[in-house]
PDB file of all heavy atoms in Angstrom:
ATOM      1  N   GLU A 221     -25.988 -21.492  -0.968  1.00  0.00           N
ATOM      2  CA  GLU A 221     -25.643 -21.677   0.427  1.00  0.00           C
ATOM      3  C   GLU A 221     -24.141 -21.572   0.585  1.00  0.00           C
ATOM      4  O   GLU A 221     -23.379 -22.051  -0.264  1.00  0.00           O
ATOM      5  CB  GLU A 221     -26.138 -23.020   0.964  1.00  0.00           C
ATOM      6  CG  GLU A 221     -27.663 -23.120   1.032  1.00  0.00           C
ATOM      7  CD  GLU A 221     -28.101 -24.383   1.727  1.00  0.00           C
ATOM      8  OE1 GLU A 221     -27.265 -25.277   1.954  1.00  0.00           O
ATOM      9  OE2 GLU A 221     -29.313 -24.480   2.070  1.00  0.00           O
ATOM     10  N   LYS A 222     -23.737 -20.887   1.637  1.00  0.00           N
ATOM     11  CA  LYS A 222     -22.310 -20.706   1.903  1.00  0.00           C
ATOM     12  C   LYS A 222     -21.981 -21.283   3.268  1.00  0.00           C
ATOM     13  O   LYS A 222     -22.657 -21.048   4.250  1.00  0.00           O
ATOM     14  CB  LYS A 222     -22.010 -19.189   1.899  1.00  0.00           C
ATOM     15  CG  LYS A 222     -20.547 -18.845   2.175  1.00  0.00           C
ATOM     16  CD  LYS A 222     -20.369 -17.330   2.196  1.00  0.00           C
ATOM     17  CE  LYS A 222     -18.909 -16.962   2.457  1.00  0.00           C
ATOM     18  NZ  LYS A 222     -18.716 -15.481   2.496  1.00  0.00           N
ATOM     19  N   THR A 223     -20.912 -22.088   3.291  1.00  0.00           N
ATOM     20  CA  THR A 223     -20.473 -22.707   4.540  1.00  0.00           C
ATOM     21  C   THR A 223     -19.546 -21.784   5.282  1.00  0.00           C
ATOM     22  O   THR A 223     -18.558 -21.268   4.714  1.00  0.00           O
ATOM     23  CB  THR A 223     -19.781 -24.054   4.273  1.00  0.00           C
ATOM     24  OG1 THR A 223     -20.676 -24.938   3.633  1.00  0.00           O
ATOM     25  CG2 THR A 223     -19.301 -24.668   5.551  1.00  0.00           C
ATOM     26  N   ILE A 224     -19.822 -21.499   6.526  1.00  0.00           N
ATOM     27  CA  ILE A 224     -18.955 -20.701   7.387  1.00  0.00           C
ATOM     28  C   ILE A 224     -18.216 -21.653   8.308  1.00  0.00           C
ATOM     29  O   ILE A 224     -18.807 -22.286   9.184  1.00  0.00           O
ATOM     30  CB  ILE A 224     -19.756 -19.681   8.232  1.00  0.00           C
ATOM     31  CG1 ILE A 224     -20.757 -18.896   7.353  1.00  0.00           C
ATOM     32  CG2 ILE A 224     -18.816 -18.742   8.984  1.00  0.00           C
ATOM     33  CD1 ILE A 224     -20.094 -18.082   6.272  1.00  0.00           C
ATOM     34  N   PRO A 225     -16.903 -21.790   8.130  1.00  0.00           N
ATOM     35  CA  PRO A 225     -16.157 -22.776   8.903  1.00  0.00           C
ATOM     36  C   PRO A 225     -15.942 -22.320  10.357  1.00  0.00           C
ATOM     37  O   PRO A 225     -15.924 -21.114  10.669  1.00  0.00           O
ATOM     38  CB  PRO A 225     -14.815 -22.881   8.166  1.00  0.00           C
ATOM     39  CG  PRO A 225     -14.649 -21.555   7.525  1.00  0.00           C
ATOM     40  CD  PRO A 225     -16.031 -21.102   7.168  1.00  0.00           C
ATOM     41  N   SER A 226     -15.725 -23.263  11.245  1.00  0.00           N
ATOM     42  CA  SER A 226     -15.362 -22.951  12.615  1.00  0.00           C
ATOM     43  C   SER A 226     -13.847 -22.795  12.727  1.00  0.00           C
ATOM     44  O   SER A 226     -13.134 -22.974  11.761  1.00  0.00           O
ATOM     45  CB  SER A 226     -15.837 -24.070  13.556  1.00  0.00           C
ATOM     46  OG  SER A 226     -15.205 -25.264  13.209  1.00  0.00           O
ATOM     47  N   GLY A 227     -13.406 -22.406  13.883  1.00  0.00           N
ATOM     48  CA  GLY A 227     -11.957 -22.294  14.117  1.00  0.00           C
ATOM     49  C   GLY A 227     -11.502 -20.871  14.328  1.00  0.00           C
ATOM     50  O   GLY A 227     -12.172 -19.897  13.921  1.00  0.00           O
ATOM     51  N   LEU A 228     -10.350 -20.744  14.967  1.00  0.00           N
ATOM     52  CA  LEU A 228      -9.711 -19.460  15.218  1.00  0.00           C
ATOM     53  C   LEU A 228      -8.480 -19.332  14.316  1.00  0.00           C
ATOM     54  O   LEU A 228      -7.494 -20.090  14.520  1.00  0.00           O
ATOM     55  CB  LEU A 228      -9.341 -19.324  16.710  1.00  0.00           C
ATOM     56  CG  LEU A 228     -10.520 -19.533  17.695  1.00  0.00           C
ATOM     57  CD1 LEU A 228     -10.032 -19.470  19.132  1.00  0.00           C
ATOM     58  CD2 LEU A 228     -11.619 -18.519  17.431  1.00  0.00           C
ATOM     59  N   GLU A 229      -8.512 -18.429  13.386  1.00  0.00           N
ATOM     60  CA  GLU A 229      -7.511 -18.422  12.320  1.00  0.00           C
ATOM     61  C   GLU A 229      -6.312 -17.531  12.643  1.00  0.00           C
ATOM     62  O   GLU A 229      -6.391 -16.595  13.445  1.00  0.00           O
ATOM     63  CB  GLU A 229      -8.160 -17.972  11.017  1.00  0.00           C
ATOM     64  CG  GLU A 229      -9.326 -18.895  10.608  1.00  0.00           C
ATOM     65  CD  GLU A 229      -9.967 -18.456   9.276  1.00  0.00           C
ATOM     66  OE1 GLU A 229      -9.318 -17.773   8.507  1.00  0.00           O
ATOM     67  OE2 GLU A 229     -11.139 -18.846   9.081  1.00  0.00           O
ATOM     68  N   ASN A 230      -5.171 -17.853  12.002  1.00  0.00           N
ATOM     69  CA  ASN A 230      -3.932 -17.137  12.227  1.00  0.00           C
ATOM     70  C   ASN A 230      -3.304 -16.725  10.917  1.00  0.00           C
ATOM     71  O   ASN A 230      -3.321 -17.484   9.950  1.00  0.00           O
ATOM     72  CB  ASN A 230      -2.948 -18.043  12.992  1.00  0.00           C
ATOM     73  CG  ASN A 230      -3.399 -18.319  14.414  1.00  0.00           C
ATOM     74  OD1 ASN A 230      -3.202 -17.502  15.304  1.00  0.00           O
ATOM     75  ND2 ASN A 230      -4.010 -19.469  14.603  1.00  0.00           N
ATOM     76  N   THR A 231      -2.684 -15.541  10.879  1.00  0.00           N
ATOM     77  CA  THR A 231      -2.082 -15.026   9.673  1.00  0.00           C
ATOM     78  C   THR A 231      -0.962 -15.929   9.167  1.00  0.00           C
ATOM     79  O   THR A 231      -0.867 -16.194   7.947  1.00  0.00           O
ATOM     80  CB  THR A 231      -1.569 -13.602   9.920  1.00  0.00           C
ATOM     81  OG1 THR A 231      -2.682 -12.736  10.131  1.00  0.00           O
ATOM     82  CG2 THR A 231      -0.770 -13.102   8.738  1.00  0.00           C
ATOM     83  N   ASP A 232      -0.086 -16.384  10.045  1.00  0.00           N
ATOM     84  CA  ASP A 232       1.015 -17.258   9.610  1.00  0.00           C
ATOM     85  C   ASP A 232       0.490 -18.486   8.924  1.00  0.00           C
ATOM     86  O   ASP A 232       0.991 -18.929   7.875  1.00  0.00           O
ATOM     87  CB  ASP A 232       1.890 -17.651  10.807  1.00  0.00           C
ATOM     88  CG  ASP A 232       2.710 -16.479  11.316  1.00  0.00           C
ATOM     89  OD1 ASP A 232       2.842 -15.454  10.594  1.00  0.00           O
ATOM     90  OD2 ASP A 232       3.245 -16.568  12.458  1.00  0.00           O
ATOM     91  N   ALA A 233      -0.527 -19.098   9.498  1.00  0.00           N
ATOM     92  CA  ALA A 233      -1.151 -20.279   8.912  1.00  0.00           C
ATOM     93  C   ALA A 233      -1.810 -19.952   7.551  1.00  0.00           C
ATOM     94  O   ALA A 233      -1.776 -20.779   6.644  1.00  0.00           O
ATOM     95  CB  ALA A 233      -2.159 -20.869   9.856  1.00  0.00           C
ATOM     96  N   HIS A 234      -2.369 -18.753   7.457  1.00  0.00           N
ATOM     97  CA  HIS A 234      -3.002 -18.341   6.195  1.00  0.00           C
ATOM     98  C   HIS A 234      -1.985 -18.422   5.046  1.00  0.00           C
ATOM     99  O   HIS A 234      -2.285 -18.982   3.978  1.00  0.00           O
ATOM    100  CB  HIS A 234      -3.521 -16.896   6.299  1.00  0.00           C
ATOM    101  CG  HIS A 234      -4.790 -16.792   7.056  1.00  0.00           C
ATOM    102  ND1 HIS A 234      -5.246 -15.602   7.579  1.00  0.00           N
ATOM    103  CD2 HIS A 234      -5.767 -17.687   7.340  1.00  0.00           C
ATOM    104  CE1 HIS A 234      -6.432 -15.773   8.160  1.00  0.00           C
ATOM    105  NE2 HIS A 234      -6.758 -17.019   8.048  1.00  0.00           N
ATOM    106  N   PHE A 235      -0.837 -17.846   5.233  1.00  0.00           N
ATOM    107  CA  PHE A 235       0.138 -17.810   4.145  1.00  0.00           C
ATOM    108  C   PHE A 235       0.704 -19.209   3.866  1.00  0.00           C
ATOM    109  O   PHE A 235       0.995 -19.537   2.700  1.00  0.00           O
ATOM    110  CB  PHE A 235       1.244 -16.810   4.469  1.00  0.00           C
ATOM    111  CG  PHE A 235       0.803 -15.400   4.260  1.00  0.00           C
ATOM    112  CD1 PHE A 235       0.484 -14.590   5.377  1.00  0.00           C
ATOM    113  CD2 PHE A 235       0.648 -14.853   2.994  1.00  0.00           C
ATOM    114  CE1 PHE A 235       0.024 -13.291   5.175  1.00  0.00           C
ATOM    115  CE2 PHE A 235       0.236 -13.561   2.809  1.00  0.00           C
ATOM    116  CZ  PHE A 235      -0.094 -12.774   3.910  1.00  0.00           C
ATOM    117  N   GLU A 236       0.820 -20.053   4.885  1.00  0.00           N
ATOM    118  CA  GLU A 236       1.236 -21.438   4.660  1.00  0.00           C
ATOM    119  C   GLU A 236       0.164 -22.176   3.861  1.00  0.00           C
ATOM    120  O   GLU A 236       0.483 -22.943   2.921  1.00  0.00           O
ATOM    121  CB  GLU A 236       1.480 -22.125   5.985  1.00  0.00           C
ATOM    122  CG  GLU A 236       2.700 -21.623   6.738  1.00  0.00           C
ATOM    123  CD  GLU A 236       2.792 -22.209   8.143  1.00  0.00           C
ATOM    124  OE1 GLU A 236       1.962 -23.079   8.480  1.00  0.00           O
ATOM    125  OE2 GLU A 236       3.735 -21.850   8.870  1.00  0.00           O
ATOM    126  N   GLN A 237      -1.099 -21.962   4.194  1.00  0.00           N
ATOM    127  CA  GLN A 237      -2.199 -22.611   3.505  1.00  0.00           C
ATOM    128  C   GLN A 237      -2.258 -22.176   2.054  1.00  0.00           C
ATOM    129  O   GLN A 237      -2.510 -22.980   1.139  1.00  0.00           O
ATOM    130  CB  GLN A 237      -3.517 -22.318   4.209  1.00  0.00           C
ATOM    131  CG  GLN A 237      -3.661 -22.956   5.590  1.00  0.00           C
ATOM    132  CD  GLN A 237      -4.794 -22.349   6.388  1.00  0.00           C
ATOM    133  OE1 GLN A 237      -5.572 -21.529   5.887  1.00  0.00           O
ATOM    134  NE2 GLN A 237      -4.864 -22.713   7.648  1.00  0.00           N
ATOM    135  N   MET A 238      -2.065 -20.851   1.802  1.00  0.00           N
ATOM    136  CA  MET A 238      -2.139 -20.359   0.451  1.00  0.00           C
ATOM    137  C   MET A 238      -0.971 -20.891  -0.399  1.00  0.00           C
ATOM    138  O   MET A 238      -1.176 -21.249  -1.571  1.00  0.00           O
ATOM    139  CB  MET A 238      -2.162 -18.809   0.439  1.00  0.00           C
ATOM    140  CG  MET A 238      -3.435 -18.219   0.955  1.00  0.00           C
ATOM    141  SD  MET A 238      -3.672 -16.448   0.619  1.00  0.00           S
ATOM    142  CE  MET A 238      -2.381 -15.754   1.644  1.00  0.00           C
ATOM    143  N   GLU A 239       0.192 -20.972   0.182  1.00  0.00           N
ATOM    144  CA  GLU A 239       1.329 -21.512  -0.574  1.00  0.00           C
ATOM    145  C   GLU A 239       1.071 -22.959  -0.905  1.00  0.00           C
ATOM    146  O   GLU A 239       1.345 -23.417  -2.057  1.00  0.00           O
ATOM    147  CB  GLU A 239       2.621 -21.351   0.219  1.00  0.00           C
ATOM    148  CG  GLU A 239       3.843 -21.957  -0.432  1.00  0.00           C
ATOM    149  CD  GLU A 239       4.154 -21.349  -1.794  1.00  0.00           C
ATOM    150  OE1 GLU A 239       3.873 -20.139  -2.016  1.00  0.00           O
ATOM    151  OE2 GLU A 239       4.680 -22.083  -2.661  1.00  0.00           O
ATOM    152  N   ALA A 240       0.546 -23.757   0.053  1.00  0.00           N
ATOM    153  CA  ALA A 240       0.258 -25.160  -0.217  1.00  0.00           C
ATOM    154  C   ALA A 240      -0.814 -25.291  -1.272  1.00  0.00           C
ATOM    155  O   ALA A 240      -0.732 -26.142  -2.182  1.00  0.00           O
ATOM    156  CB  ALA A 240      -0.177 -25.853   1.084  1.00  0.00           C
ATOM    157  N   LYS A 241      -1.839 -24.456  -1.214  1.00  0.00           N
ATOM    158  CA  LYS A 241      -2.929 -24.527  -2.189  1.00  0.00           C
ATOM    159  C   LYS A 241      -2.424 -24.189  -3.561  1.00  0.00           C
ATOM    160  O   LYS A 241      -2.914 -24.760  -4.562  1.00  0.00           O
ATOM    161  CB  LYS A 241      -4.033 -23.546  -1.766  1.00  0.00           C
ATOM    162  CG  LYS A 241      -5.312 -23.636  -2.561  1.00  0.00           C
ATOM    163  CD  LYS A 241      -6.117 -24.865  -2.157  1.00  0.00           C
ATOM    164  CE  LYS A 241      -7.500 -24.863  -2.789  1.00  0.00           C
ATOM    165  NZ  LYS A 241      -8.300 -26.052  -2.437  1.00  0.00           N
ATOM    166  N   SER A 242      -1.465 -23.286  -3.673  1.00  0.00           N
ATOM    167  CA  SER A 242      -0.978 -22.878  -4.982  1.00  0.00           C
ATOM    168  C   SER A 242      -0.242 -24.003  -5.695  1.00  0.00           C
ATOM    169  O   SER A 242      -0.026 -23.945  -6.896  1.00  0.00           O
ATOM    170  CB  SER A 242      -0.049 -21.653  -4.848  1.00  0.00           C
ATOM    171  OG  SER A 242       1.187 -22.047  -4.245  1.00  0.00           O
ATOM    172  N   GLN A 243       0.157 -25.040  -4.945  1.00  0.00           N
ATOM    173  CA  GLN A 243       0.880 -26.154  -5.523  1.00  0.00           C
ATOM    174  C   GLN A 243      -0.095 -27.255  -6.047  1.00  0.00           C
ATOM    175  O   GLN A 243       0.338 -28.191  -6.737  1.00  0.00           O
ATOM    176  CB  GLN A 243       1.802 -26.810  -4.477  1.00  0.00           C
ATOM    177  CG  GLN A 243       2.779 -25.849  -3.805  1.00  0.00           C
ATOM    178  CD  GLN A 243       3.792 -25.267  -4.788  1.00  0.00           C
ATOM    179  OE1 GLN A 243       4.106 -25.885  -5.807  1.00  0.00           O
ATOM    180  NE2 GLN A 243       4.308 -24.080  -4.473  1.00  0.00           N
ATOM    181  N   GLN A 244      -1.348 -27.082  -5.711  1.00  0.00           N
ATOM    182  CA  GLN A 244      -2.368 -28.103  -6.089  1.00  0.00           C
ATOM    183  C   GLN A 244      -3.078 -27.694  -7.358  1.00  0.00           C
ATOM    184  O   GLN A 244      -3.056 -26.542  -7.794  1.00  0.00           O
ATOM    185  CB  GLN A 244      -3.386 -28.244  -4.940  1.00  0.00           C
ATOM    186  CG  GLN A 244      -2.772 -28.657  -3.612  1.00  0.00           C
ATOM    187  CD  GLN A 244      -3.745 -28.539  -2.462  1.00  0.00           C
ATOM    188  OE1 GLN A 244      -4.945 -28.346  -2.655  1.00  0.00           O
ATOM    189  NE2 GLN A 244      -3.238 -28.661  -1.227  1.00  0.00           N
ATOM    190  N   PRO A 245      -3.745 -28.677  -8.013  1.00  0.00           N
ATOM    191  CA  PRO A 245      -4.535 -28.334  -9.206  1.00  0.00           C
ATOM    192  C   PRO A 245      -5.586 -27.303  -8.904  1.00  0.00           C
ATOM    193  O   PRO A 245      -6.149 -27.264  -7.801  1.00  0.00           O
ATOM    194  CB  PRO A 245      -5.175 -29.673  -9.585  1.00  0.00           C
ATOM    195  CG  PRO A 245      -4.263 -30.717  -8.985  1.00  0.00           C
ATOM    196  CD  PRO A 245      -3.722 -30.101  -7.721  1.00  0.00           C
ATOM    197  N   ALA A 246      -5.852 -26.382  -9.862  1.00  0.00           N
ATOM    198  CA  ALA A 246      -6.793 -25.309  -9.645  1.00  0.00           C
ATOM    199  C   ALA A 246      -7.823 -25.259 -10.752  1.00  0.00           C
ATOM    200  O   ALA A 246      -7.728 -25.979 -11.746  1.00  0.00           O
ATOM    201  CB  ALA A 246      -5.997 -23.987  -9.580  1.00  0.00           C
ATOM    202  N   LYS A 247      -8.794 -24.394 -10.597  1.00  0.00           N
ATOM    203  CA  LYS A 247      -9.869 -24.267 -11.573  1.00  0.00           C
ATOM    204  C   LYS A 247      -9.356 -23.477 -12.794  1.00  0.00           C
ATOM    205  O   LYS A 247      -8.837 -22.352 -12.643  1.00  0.00           O
ATOM    206  CB  LYS A 247     -11.048 -23.557 -10.962  1.00  0.00           C
ATOM    207  CG  LYS A 247     -12.228 -23.343 -11.916  1.00  0.00           C
ATOM    208  CD  LYS A 247     -13.357 -22.578 -11.231  1.00  0.00           C
ATOM    209  CE  LYS A 247     -14.523 -22.321 -12.186  1.00  0.00           C
ATOM    210  NZ  LYS A 247     -15.620 -21.573 -11.523  1.00  0.00           N
ATOM    211  N   GLU A 248      -9.496 -24.024 -13.972  1.00  0.00           N
ATOM    212  CA  GLU A 248      -9.057 -23.330 -15.193  1.00  0.00           C
ATOM    213  C   GLU A 248     -10.122 -22.306 -15.565  1.00  0.00           C
ATOM    214  O   GLU A 248     -11.284 -22.628 -15.739  1.00  0.00           O
ATOM    215  CB  GLU A 248      -8.865 -24.336 -16.321  1.00  0.00           C
ATOM    216  CG  GLU A 248      -8.402 -23.701 -17.622  1.00  0.00           C
ATOM    217  CD  GLU A 248      -8.250 -24.735 -18.726  1.00  0.00           C
ATOM    218  OE1 GLU A 248      -7.421 -25.645 -18.591  1.00  0.00           O
ATOM    219  OE2 GLU A 248      -8.985 -24.611 -19.742  1.00  0.00           O
ATOM    220  N   LEU A 249      -9.695 -21.047 -15.728  1.00  0.00           N
ATOM    221  CA  LEU A 249     -10.601 -19.978 -16.098  1.00  0.00           C
ATOM    222  C   LEU A 249     -10.512 -19.630 -17.573  1.00  0.00           C
ATOM    223  O   LEU A 249     -11.496 -19.247 -18.208  1.00  0.00           O
ATOM    224  CB  LEU A 249     -10.307 -18.712 -15.284  1.00  0.00           C
ATOM    225  CG  LEU A 249     -10.411 -18.845 -13.756  1.00  0.00           C
ATOM    226  CD1 LEU A 249     -10.026 -17.540 -13.058  1.00  0.00           C
ATOM    227  CD2 LEU A 249     -11.828 -19.301 -13.347  1.00  0.00           C
ATOM    228  N   ARG A 250      -9.300 -19.698 -18.130  1.00  0.00           N
ATOM    229  CA  ARG A 250      -9.109 -19.395 -19.543  1.00  0.00           C
ATOM    230  C   ARG A 250      -7.832 -20.057 -20.028  1.00  0.00           C
ATOM    231  O   ARG A 250      -6.825 -20.078 -19.311  1.00  0.00           O
ATOM    232  CB  ARG A 250      -9.052 -17.907 -19.785  1.00  0.00           C
ATOM    233  CG  ARG A 250      -8.689 -17.528 -21.233  1.00  0.00           C
ATOM    234  CD  ARG A 250      -8.868 -16.065 -21.503  1.00  0.00           C
ATOM    235  NE  ARG A 250      -8.303 -15.659 -22.794  1.00  0.00           N
ATOM    236  CZ  ARG A 250      -8.533 -14.504 -23.430  1.00  0.00           C
ATOM    237  NH1 ARG A 250      -9.334 -13.623 -22.856  1.00  0.00           N
ATOM    238  NH2 ARG A 250      -7.967 -14.252 -24.583  1.00  0.00           N
ATOM    239  N   LYS A 251      -7.867 -20.579 -21.243  1.00  0.00           N
ATOM    240  CA  LYS A 251      -6.689 -21.189 -21.829  1.00  0.00           C
ATOM    241  C   LYS A 251      -6.649 -20.902 -23.323  1.00  0.00           C
ATOM    242  O   LYS A 251      -7.572 -21.176 -24.041  1.00  0.00           O
ATOM    243  CB  LYS A 251      -6.702 -22.720 -21.614  1.00  0.00           C
ATOM    244  CG  LYS A 251      -5.471 -23.443 -22.126  1.00  0.00           C
ATOM    245  CD  LYS A 251      -5.518 -24.913 -21.786  1.00  0.00           C
ATOM    246  CE  LYS A 251      -4.260 -25.648 -22.271  1.00  0.00           C
ATOM    247  NZ  LYS A 251      -4.321 -27.078 -21.924  1.00  0.00           N
ATOM    248  N   ASP A 252      -5.556 -20.288 -23.759  1.00  0.00           N
ATOM    249  CA  ASP A 252      -5.326 -19.997 -25.178  1.00  0.00           C
ATOM    250  C   ASP A 252      -4.067 -20.768 -25.620  1.00  0.00           C
ATOM    251  O   ASP A 252      -3.067 -20.779 -24.904  1.00  0.00           O
ATOM    252  CB  ASP A 252      -5.088 -18.513 -25.424  1.00  0.00           C
ATOM    253  CG  ASP A 252      -6.298 -17.663 -25.060  1.00  0.00           C
ATOM    254  OD1 ASP A 252      -7.417 -18.144 -25.202  1.00  0.00           O
ATOM    255  OD2 ASP A 252      -6.103 -16.480 -24.638  1.00  0.00           O
ATOM    256  N   GLY A 253      -4.164 -21.363 -26.794  1.00  0.00           N
ATOM    257  CA  GLY A 253      -2.983 -22.038 -27.364  1.00  0.00           C
ATOM    258  C   GLY A 253      -2.571 -23.252 -26.562  1.00  0.00           C
ATOM    259  O   GLY A 253      -3.382 -23.972 -25.984  1.00  0.00           O
ATOM    260  N   ASP A 254      -1.271 -23.472 -26.477  1.00  0.00           N
ATOM    261  CA  ASP A 254      -0.657 -24.637 -25.764  1.00  0.00           C
ATOM    262  C   ASP A 254       0.363 -24.130 -24.776  1.00  0.00           C
ATOM    263  O   ASP A 254       1.569 -24.180 -25.002  1.00  0.00           O
ATOM    264  CB  ASP A 254      -0.003 -25.539 -26.832  1.00  0.00           C
ATOM    265  CG  ASP A 254       0.628 -26.749 -26.194  1.00  0.00           C
ATOM    266  OD1 ASP A 254       0.317 -27.082 -25.032  1.00  0.00           O
ATOM    267  OD2 ASP A 254       1.507 -27.376 -26.862  1.00  0.00           O
ATOM    268  N   PRO A 255      -0.093 -23.615 -23.625  1.00  0.00           N
ATOM    269  CA  PRO A 255       0.856 -23.104 -22.640  1.00  0.00           C
ATOM    270  C   PRO A 255       1.872 -24.130 -22.188  1.00  0.00           C
ATOM    271  O   PRO A 255       3.054 -23.796 -22.061  1.00  0.00           O
ATOM    272  CB  PRO A 255      -0.058 -22.686 -21.471  1.00  0.00           C
ATOM    273  CG  PRO A 255      -1.413 -22.486 -22.070  1.00  0.00           C
ATOM    274  CD  PRO A 255      -1.469 -23.497 -23.170  1.00  0.00           C
ATOM    275  N   GLU A 256       1.450 -25.373 -21.963  1.00  0.00           N
ATOM    276  CA  GLU A 256       2.374 -26.395 -21.479  1.00  0.00           C
ATOM    277  C   GLU A 256       3.516 -26.609 -22.479  1.00  0.00           C
ATOM    278  O   GLU A 256       4.677 -26.677 -22.109  1.00  0.00           O
ATOM    279  CB  GLU A 256       1.657 -27.732 -21.217  1.00  0.00           C
ATOM    280  CG  GLU A 256       0.597 -27.662 -20.117  1.00  0.00           C
ATOM    281  CD  GLU A 256      -0.768 -27.164 -20.588  1.00  0.00           C
ATOM    282  OE1 GLU A 256      -0.879 -26.751 -21.756  1.00  0.00           O
ATOM    283  OE2 GLU A 256      -1.692 -27.183 -19.758  1.00  0.00           O
ATOM    284  N   GLY A 257       3.142 -26.703 -23.763  1.00  0.00           N
ATOM    285  CA  GLY A 257       4.163 -26.888 -24.799  1.00  0.00           C
ATOM    286  C   GLY A 257       5.083 -25.718 -24.901  1.00  0.00           C
ATOM    287  O   GLY A 257       6.289 -25.846 -25.083  1.00  0.00           O
ATOM    288  N   ALA A 258       4.526 -24.514 -24.788  1.00  0.00           N
ATOM    289  CA  ALA A 258       5.361 -23.299 -24.913  1.00  0.00           C
ATOM    290  C   ALA A 258       6.373 -23.195 -23.781  1.00  0.00           C
ATOM    291  O   ALA A 258       7.510 -22.799 -23.986  1.00  0.00           O
ATOM    292  CB  ALA A 258       4.433 -22.041 -24.916  1.00  0.00           C
ATOM    293  N   PHE A 259       5.941 -23.540 -22.541  1.00  0.00           N
ATOM    294  CA  PHE A 259       6.876 -23.483 -21.441  1.00  0.00           C
ATOM    295  C   PHE A 259       7.954 -24.584 -21.589  1.00  0.00           C
ATOM    296  O   PHE A 259       9.106 -24.374 -21.240  1.00  0.00           O
ATOM    297  CB  PHE A 259       6.138 -23.640 -20.107  1.00  0.00           C
ATOM    298  CG  PHE A 259       5.554 -22.370 -19.599  1.00  0.00           C
ATOM    299  CD1 PHE A 259       4.180 -22.125 -19.700  1.00  0.00           C
ATOM    300  CD2 PHE A 259       6.339 -21.359 -19.042  1.00  0.00           C
ATOM    301  CE1 PHE A 259       3.615 -20.920 -19.252  1.00  0.00           C
ATOM    302  CE2 PHE A 259       5.818 -20.166 -18.592  1.00  0.00           C
ATOM    303  CZ  PHE A 259       4.444 -19.936 -18.714  1.00  0.00           C
ATOM    304  N   LYS A 260       7.543 -25.733 -22.127  1.00  0.00           N
ATOM    305  CA  LYS A 260       8.496 -26.830 -22.292  1.00  0.00           C
ATOM    306  C   LYS A 260       9.583 -26.437 -23.272  1.00  0.00           C
ATOM    307  O   LYS A 260      10.763 -26.804 -23.138  1.00  0.00           O
ATOM    308  CB  LYS A 260       7.746 -28.062 -22.798  1.00  0.00           C
ATOM    309  CG  LYS A 260       8.624 -29.302 -22.951  1.00  0.00           C
ATOM    310  CD  LYS A 260       7.769 -30.502 -23.375  1.00  0.00           C
ATOM    311  CE  LYS A 260       8.646 -31.720 -23.507  1.00  0.00           C
ATOM    312  NZ  LYS A 260       7.829 -32.914 -23.941  1.00  0.00           N
TER     313      LYS A 260
END
């Protein structure tokens, strides 16, 4: 089942929402080695 949200969407808001979402935890798809340690 797929939820279709209500509302009238705007491009400016889209990019603000995507930038905000990119700062939040995300779904891990693949992890090799120790990325956190390597960046540190």
Side-chain angles (χ1 to χ4, degrees):
E221 291 188 349
K222 180 181 180 181
T223 299
I224 311 299
S226 62
L228 305 177
E229 301 181 23
N230 293 279
T231 293
D232 289 344
H234 282 161
F235 284 102
E236 291 174 3
Q237 292 164 8
M238 289 194 292
E239 178 59 32
K241 189 74 171 179
S242 73
Q243 306 294 334
Q244 301 170 11
K247 179 182 179 181
E248 182 181 298
L249 300 178
R250 173 169 170 166
K251 184 177 181 179
D252 297 329
D254 179 17
E256 295 85 353
F259 278 105
K260 184 177 180 180

